Amino acid sequence: MTRKNIVILTGAGISAESGISTFRDTGGLWENHRLEDVATPEGFEADPHLVHRFYNARRAQLHEVAPNAAHFALAALERAWEGRGDFLLVTQNVDDLHERAGSRRLLHMHGELRRLRCTMCEETHPHAQDAGLELACPACGRAGTMRPDIVWFGEIPYHMDEIGAALGEADIFCAIGTSGLVYPAAGFAAEAVHNRRGCELFEINPNPTGVEVYDHVIAAPATHGMAELLRLLGVED
Ligand code: APR
């Protein structure tokens, strides 16, 4: 069987059925917060307490939510793909639902709610509780320097070299639950389609983005769309 490399990109939509708000749907996070205030370095500089409160609330919610069938189906796809080619799951999400569902080959390009970063020494650390400026950096010991380890607007996402290399070798690319509005993730489908491997592209979204490079558009919520994706990939559900 010919090896086929697969890259999956997920966005907030895959966690919606777990009860985590998306950003741009009705009632989404950006309806209730000015992203300039809570998702930019300037916002953190201006009011670090507000920003820590925003992420503390989102981090605390992780104790109340669980992975849904789409997260589990992606972990099952990763296991089923063993020996069939390379598998990489890239998520824009900062929740831990993919890990908790069993995904392993996973990159958080926008960081993780359950990590903090020191603004002085740049070291990052796991942190599952509330955070604030009272914390001291476990690495350099300075106090008042810890920020959420989240990639904010205007900052460079994590793992871009590894993601670019995987997109260059992808035979299959699937975007699940993303509005495709925020770069660089919004450009991954175009990168894949021009990689000269004849990459086949899939989208799973109840409100398809209309981006024309997708060969297969599964207009369904992720928990339903994943069964169709597995069928199209010839993987038993
Ligand atoms: N299943 C699949 N997709 C869904 C579901 C669902 N059950 N419910 C909603 N969606 C889709 C919506 O149609 C929308 O296209 O999920 C998408 C969510 O879009 P956004 O809220 O824009 O989230 P996302 O694409 O992840 O945003 C990208 O923007 O604000 C930044 O850093 C933030 O990582 C985020 C980035």
Side-chain angles (χ1 to χ4, degrees):
M1 179 189 287
T2 322
R3 280 178 63 81
K4 284 197 177 286
N5 304 322
I6 185 168
V7 175
I8 307 268
L9 171 69
T10 59
I14 198 167
S15 296
E17 292 166 271
S18 293
I20 296 182
S21 299
T22 63
F23 293 93
R24 297 172 181 83
D25 289 324
T26 311
L29 280 169
W30 297 148
E31 262 185 26
N32 305 310
H33 302 273
R34 275 170 31 91
L35 67 86
E36 297 78 6
D37 295 341
V38 294
T40 62
E42 297 76 15
F44 184 69
E45 182 76 28
D47 190 346
H49 303 292
L50 168 70
V51 173
H52 272 302
R53 279 200 303 276
F54 176 68
Y55 288 97
N56 286 346
R58 294 177 67 196
R59 190 177 305 111
Q61 188 190 21
L62 295 182
H63 299 295
E64 298 148 26
V65 296
N68 63 54
H71 295 104
F72 287 112
L74 275 177
L77 175 59
E78 177 179 347
R79 290 190 294 272
W81 214 257
E82 196 67 40
R84 292 176 64 159
D86 295 338
F87 179 98
L88 179 64
L89 171 54
V90 179
T91 188
Q92 300 171 91
N93 300 341
V94 294
D95 62 54
D96 60 350
L97 297 183
H98 282 306
E99 295 87 330
R100 288 164 60 188
S103 287
R104 292 290 170 268
R105 281 287 294 134
L106 168 64
L107 297 177
H108 280 274
M109 64 181 288
H110 287 169
E112 297 173 64
L113 276 174
R114 289 189 151 188
R115 293 188 73 81
L116 300 179
R117 186 191 329 158
C118 177
T119 56
M120 293 305 284
C121 71
E122 297 293 310
E123 286 292 316
T124 70
H125 311 276
H127 190 89
Q129 295 75 33
D130 280 359
L133 295 184
E134 73 285 356
L135 293 175
C137 170
C140 70
R142 293 184 182 87
T145 62
M146 300 310 280
R147 61 167 271 185
D149 188 23
I150 301 289
V151 177
W152 285 326
F153 287 95
E155 297 184 324
I156 299 173
Y158 286 135
H159 311 298
M160 288 307 292
D161 292 345
E162 186 173 352
I163 294 167
L167 290 169
E169 296 301 316
D171 303 289
I172 296 162
F173 173 84
C174 181
I176 306 172
T178 181
S179 58
L181 294 174
V182 175
Y183 284 85
F188 289 173
E191 255 184 87
V193 81
H194 294 118
N195 72 4
R196 286 193 298 278
R197 290 181 65 101
C199 188
E200 196 174 0
L201 288 91
F202 301 75
E203 177 183 42
I204 301 177
N205 193 325
N207 313 296
T209 56
V211 172
E212 74 285 350
V213 295
Y214 290 111
D215 303 293
H216 308 272
V217 175
I218 303 169
T223 51
H224 295 78
M226 277 304 301
E228 176 63 6
L229 176 68
L230 296 181
R231 188 185 67 76
L232 289 169
L233 294 179
V235 173
E236 286 311 305
D237 190 349

